Amino acid sequence: MEATSTTTKKQIKKNTPMYLAMHENNIAMCLASGFISPRLEQNAARDHHLTSGGLVIEAIKPTHAALVGAQGDLPYGMVVLVEIKNIEDHTLAIPVIPIKQVKRFAFQSQKALTEFSARISAYNDIPGGLVPFEVAPELFESDELYQAAPEEENQGKKIIDVPESKDGSTSRDPFQSIAVIEACAGAFAAGISTLASSQGSSLFNRLHGYGGENIQIDSPVEFSVSLATHLGLSTENDVYQPLIAALVPILASTNASDGFSATSLLRKLEAIFGSPSDTESATALQKFVKFSQDIIALRRDLPDDAFSDQEGFAVPRGALLFLLNPEPETLAAVKLRIPNLGERVYFVAAFLVGMRAGVARLPKTMKASREAFLAIPDFILSIIQKKSRPLQTISRWDKNGTQQVEVTWNGSTLVGATLPAKVSLQVLADIARSLGINMSFSAVNGALVSPLNKDHMTATLSLEEGATPTFPRVPACVATLKIDCKVQKRIALKALESINKEMLNSGIFCQLTDEVKNRKLELKTYLLEPYSSEQLKLAIETLWKHTSHLSINNNPNPTK
């Protein structure tokens, strides 16, 4: 079947209906993966898309040849038509169309639609309601009975295929590109699905900014290393980064349907890292392999904190958790079995599970919402095409300090969670309110703030671990009260002198930071460990009395 090159897109009028035909098996696989592409799975129909090296798309109306070609080598099953909304430029580089660009799936009869709907509803890996299903028997009429209008004759067919370079050679194996998207989308979807039950904002905040146009990704390894580095799970000099580089290509090239053997995988890693070496990385990786082999063979027990978060160990601990729970369903249950499971360790393990499974085989529980599932393959595709927008992390806080946090991309929410208020701020809020101070949590940044006067000046109260400004520095709890007021430097210094004089016998001392450019005034109180709740209450009460009075009256000697 002839097909014109991708340049024929300019010849097709805007809003012209465009269709591709596929066997129902292949359609089900596309629904599970989140993108339309030639399918390479064992039970897929070897159709005209596969033999053409790209997606065969036809304008106006599907031809009889396309309907026959979609049946492929399977003597059973129905053909489904996919109507495309539009074909964005970045999809022309590889034979992939994100599901969100599909307008509808058309069926020859109501019976065909009903049977297909019933069939896919039983699958655990296909989210519901992705695309409208409609009956359109007129599209299945033989093209021999269809006569195109004169202006439609040149609208023709087209293939979304691999672009040619200036010398006429192709720049990428199209089916390798599909495999890259399948593996990377699966890894990313599985990884961020763990954040929905997160109790902290660390990884949420670190995802912000990932995926800009400066990201260069052509393989699952490059994607994995770049994401791990961006999230702070690994660094360029990390002794465990070679573990990512060794594991990912093995998992991405594995047929997940063939089963999994942790022992076999560890033997492959042993062969990679087994050569004698004096480097710190080689030694650490050899120890990891040996320790994992002992755990798998039941020669030793897991320590109680084996899967807790510890700086610099998220990758090896996550890899071990994956080896023990390689299937998506078993990993999803570990939250119930491991009470001290680290957020970072869990993310790494899920990422590796998704890399092995691929996005199509992930269960619906790891594909989150319809909005997220439709966006993730498009996000990965845009990264590969180096046309991606970065991820955005958006947070909102309610009056009790509870944080609603979301990671979004291109207007779509990929994952969200409700995070409890920080314990330290809750303690401060309770103390402030017991003193009659009207403190509430800011909806913008979650800070503990209070209005000071009719001029809309505010005070912000915070509590964090730090150290005294003395030498040598001593660990201390730092309570800070910051106000946005215009105060002369001499008045601020006199206020500081007054505060320190009053607090001389309390074991608490203050430091003033005058941010002239932003016109901010900070008073810090340092409480040496161990400190009592009464000391903290006294510190806040004193800070508030002097600072609030200073902000309103510019008076260095407030009355008591």
Side-chain angles (χ1 to χ4, degrees):
M1 181 171 65
E2 293 183 1
T4 57
S5 69
T6 55
T7 57
T8 59
K9 183 181 180 185
K10 296 180 180 179
Q11 302 170 5
I12 298 176
K13 294 179 181 179
K14 188 177 181 180
N15 298 325
T16 298
M18 303 187 70
Y19 300 94
L20 63 87
M22 269 195 177
H23 191 278
E24 61 173 313
N25 283 13
N26 298 28
I27 287 289
M29 296 169 192
C30 290
L31 283 171
S33 66
F35 57 87
I36 304 293
S37 71
R39 303 310 301 184
L40 310 174
E41 289 89 340
Q42 186 175 1
N43 58 337
R46 301 190 62 81
D47 57 15
H48 59 315
H49 302 294
L50 195 64
T51 55
S52 297
L55 290 174
V56 180
I57 299 179
E58 300 175 308
I60 308 300
K61 189 174 188 292
T63 62
H64 177 73
L67 296 174
V68 173
Q71 192 72 40
D73 60 341
L74 297 182
Y76 60 88
M78 70 185 81
V79 170
V80 180
L81 293 178
V82 182
E83 183 174 344
I84 310 299
K85 293 178 183 176
N86 64 317
I87 303 175
E88 297 179 0
D89 290 342
H90 74 257
T91 63
L92 295 177
I94 31 184
V96 168
I97 297 177
I99 288 285
K100 73 175 189 177
Q101 289 177 230
V102 174
K103 184 176 182 180
R104 62 171 178 165
F105 287 158
F107 294 82
Q108 190 170 14
S109 66
Q110 182 61 50
K111 180 182 177 183
L113 187 156
T114 302
E115 289 179 352
F116 182 78
S117 299
R119 177 186 169 194
I120 65 171
S121 66
Y123 294 156
N124 185 41
D125 52 10
I126 300 180
L130 296 179
V131 179
F133 291 179
E134 297 180 9
V135 177
E138 69 279 3
L139 295 177
F140 291 82
E141 295 173 357
S142 172
D143 62 340
E144 296 173 356
L145 303 178
Y146 173 76
Q147 298 295 322
E151 67 272 15
E152 297 174 349
E153 289 179 355
N154 292 325
Q155 304 267 324
K157 318 180 194 88
K158 66 185 300 180
I159 293 181
I160 294 185
D161 58 1
V162 185
E164 293 187 350
S165 61
K166 292 180 180 179
D167 62 1
S169 61
T170 57
S171 59
R172 179 192 293 274
D173 175 359
F175 301 121
Q176 179 60 34
S177 298
I178 296 172
V180 170
I181 297 171
E182 177 79 23
C184 292
F188 187 72
I192 66 170
S193 72
T194 65
L195 301 184
S197 59
S198 172
Q199 293 298 302
S201 60
S202 172
L203 288 181
F204 274 106
N205 292 336
R206 283 188 169 274
L207 279 167
H208 184 81
Y210 180 75
E213 292 187 5
N214 59 331
I215 298 290
Q216 302 291 315
I217 290 175
D218 290 306
S219 70
V221 171
E222 291 177 349
F223 173 67
S224 304
V225 170
S226 70
L227 183 61
T229 302
H230 187 88
L231 294 178
L233 302 173
S234 178
T235 65
E236 197 171 311
N237 300 318
D238 186 0
V239 295
Y240 291 107
Q241 194 167 93
L243 180 58
I244 301 175
L247 264 177
V248 167
I250 297 174
L251 299 179
S253 61
T254 299
N255 185 343
S257 300
D258 292 341
F260 178 81
S261 168
T263 303
S264 176
L265 179 56
L266 285 169
R267 277 199 293 265
K268 292 179 181 178
L269 295 179
E270 186 177 32
I272 296 172
F273 303 131
S275 302
S277 176
D278 296 330
T279 66
E280 182 184 2
S281 179
T283 301
L285 292 169
Q286 289 166 7
K287 287 183 178 179
F288 165 78
V289 172
K290 181 64 170 62
F291 179 82
S292 299
Q293 288 174 328
D294 287 346
I295 293 296
I296 297 297
L298 302 178
R299 290 192 290 266
R300 64 188 304 170
D301 296 328
L302 277 168
D304 292 338
D305 63 346
F307 300 121
S308 61
D309 281 338
Q310 182 179 344
E311 192 65 33
F313 290 92
V315 171
R317 291 185 177 194
L320 178 57
L321 183 60
F322 157 73
L323 290 171
L324 295 171
N325 303 273
E327 300 298 336
E329 295 78 10
T330 56
L331 183 69
V334 301
K335 268 281 192 182
L336 303 175
R337 294 187 282 109
I338 306 177
N340 60 342
L341 178 62
E343 177 187 48
R344 292 163 167 255
V345 171
Y346 193 28
F347 182 94
V348 171
F351 186 91
L352 295 175
V353 165
M355 184 67 70
R356 171 179 173 262
V359 67
R361 285 191 70 253
L362 289 180
K364 287 182 281 191
T365 53
M366 283 188 168
K367 291 175 178 175
S369 67
R370 173 184 182 276
E371 182 182 17
F373 177 62
L374 293 178
I376 288 174
D378 200 18
F379 169 62
I380 299 298
L381 178 59
S382 67
I383 288 180
I384 292 175
Q385 295 306 310
K386 302 174 179 60
K387 294 184 179 181
S388 176
R389 298 180 178 91
L391 298 174
Q392 301 288 324
T393 299
I394 301 172
S395 293
R396 296 176 297 276
W397 286 262
D398 65 17
K399 63 181 181 180
N400 298 315
T402 301
Q403 180 184 3
Q404 301 290 333
V405 60
E406 295 177 345
V407 175
T408 68
W409 179 78
N410 199 21
S412 298
T413 299
L414 302 186
V415 65
T418 300
L419 309 180
K422 292 182 179 179
V423 174
S424 61
L425 288 184
Q426 284 283 24
V427 170
L428 285 182
D430 292 341
I431 290 176
R433 289 162 184 165
S434 72
L435 294 170
I437 302 172
N438 181 23
M439 281 280 177
S440 60
F441 289 90
S442 167
V444 177
N445 58 17
L448 197 56
V449 299
S450 176
L452 288 179
N453 60 14
K454 62 182 180 180
D455 297 325
H456 305 293
M457 291 191 296
T458 58
T460 303
L461 188 62
S462 63
L463 186 69
E464 59 188 354
E465 296 300 318
T468 63
T470 59
F471 182 81
R473 294 174 67 83
V474 179
C477 179
V478 185
T480 302
L481 190 63
K482 178 186 290 188
I483 60 173
D484 55 345
C485 60
K486 300 178 181 180
V487 182
Q488 294 180 9
K489 185 71 173 285
R490 63 180 180 81
I491 295 177
L493 290 174
K494 287 185 179 180
L496 174 64
E497 182 181 355
S498 175
I499 293 174
N500 278 334
K501 183 178 180 180
E502 180 175 334
M503 302 179 70
L504 182 65
N505 298 321
S506 66
I508 302 170
F509 60 98
C510 298
Q511 180 186 31
L512 176 70
T513 302
D514 182 21
E515 299 179 4
V516 179
K517 182 178 180 181
N518 297 320
R519 300 192 181 277
K520 299 284 186 182
L521 182 66
E522 287 186 5
L523 292 175
K524 294 180 180 291
T525 302
Y526 300 86
L527 297 101
L528 302 182
E529 299 282 359
Y531 63 89
S532 66
S533 58
E534 287 302 315
Q535 284 180 300
L536 180 58
K537 184 175 181 178
L538 173 62
I540 294 172
E541 183 178 23
T542 306
L543 285 180
W544 180 258
K545 178 170 59 177
H546 286 277
T547 307
S548 61
H549 195 95
L550 174 66
S551 68
I552 297 173
N553 299 322
N554 272 2
N555 187 344
N557 296 305
T559 57
K560 297 183 182 179

